[in-house]
Amino acid sequence: MPYASLEAKKASDQKYYLANREARISAAQERRRADLPSACASVLKWKRENRGAAAANNAVYRARKKRAMPPWVAKEDLKFVYDMASMFGVSVDHIEPLAGEKACGLHVPWNLQLLPQSENAAKGNRPWPR
């Protein structure tokens, strides 16, 4: 069906999306779950082929985490959280992300939670729960 204008098409697409939002979100989540091994392989391949960019991304993350840690936080408390994650085989997640859209969290023990890697990846850079 041809549209009178680009705005009319955008309005129609938005109306369809809002009417089918939950179904579209769950279908996208299922596609992601089904494609997870392939996606992981792609990420590893990219990191091998772009070692410099991957190192730069890691450096930015480490610097952001260091800036987000107040000087009065006991490093032993943070170490305890990371030791627990290592012991249970889960990942450490920032409840309020260090680089969130609306707010930036701190790298402090009460802003950390232990999550299975799959949940942490699904959460992305959004506050939990959302």
Side-chain angles (χ1 to χ4, degrees):
M1 169 177 158
Y3 294 94
S5 67
L6 182 60
E7 289 78 23
K9 176 160 179 23
K10 285 182 182 178
S12 173
D13 289 348
Q14 184 176 19
K15 182 178 174 185
Y16 175 81
Y17 175 79
L18 292 174
N20 300 288
R21 183 175 187 273
E22 294 304 319
R24 290 177 57 93
I25 288 173
S26 53
Q29 288 173 341
E30 286 301 317
R31 281 193 307 274
R32 264 187 245 112
R33 276 190 208 102
D35 194 39
L36 191 60
S38 166
C40 290
S42 295
V43 168
L44 289 175
K45 181 181 177 208
W46 181 87
K47 285 181 178 182
R48 277 193 305 272
E49 293 172 355
N50 301 281
R51 291 187 190 273
N57 290 344
N58 287 335
V60 166
Y61 177 74
R62 284 191 314 274
R64 182 178 290 132
K65 193 160 67 169
K66 188 174 183 180
R67 281 193 312 268
M69 190 169 77
W72 42 263
V73 170
K75 291 187 172 87
E76 297 82 31
D77 294 341
L78 290 170
K79 184 180 179 313
F80 175 76
V81 174
Y82 282 91
D83 287 345
M84 294 299 288
S86 176
M87 186 176 10
F88 292 116
V90 295
S91 53
V92 177
D93 173 64
H94 290 89
I95 298 168
E96 188 65 43
L98 298 180
E101 293 176 12
K102 297 181 181 175
C104 295
L106 294 175
H107 187 58
V108 291
W110 52 89
N111 189 37
L112 299 175
Q113 64 183 347
L114 303 180
L115 286 179
Q117 180 59 37
S118 58
E119 285 184 34
N120 193 14
K123 176 183 174 257
N125 196 33
R126 293 179 299 278
W128 186 267
R130 188 53 59 126

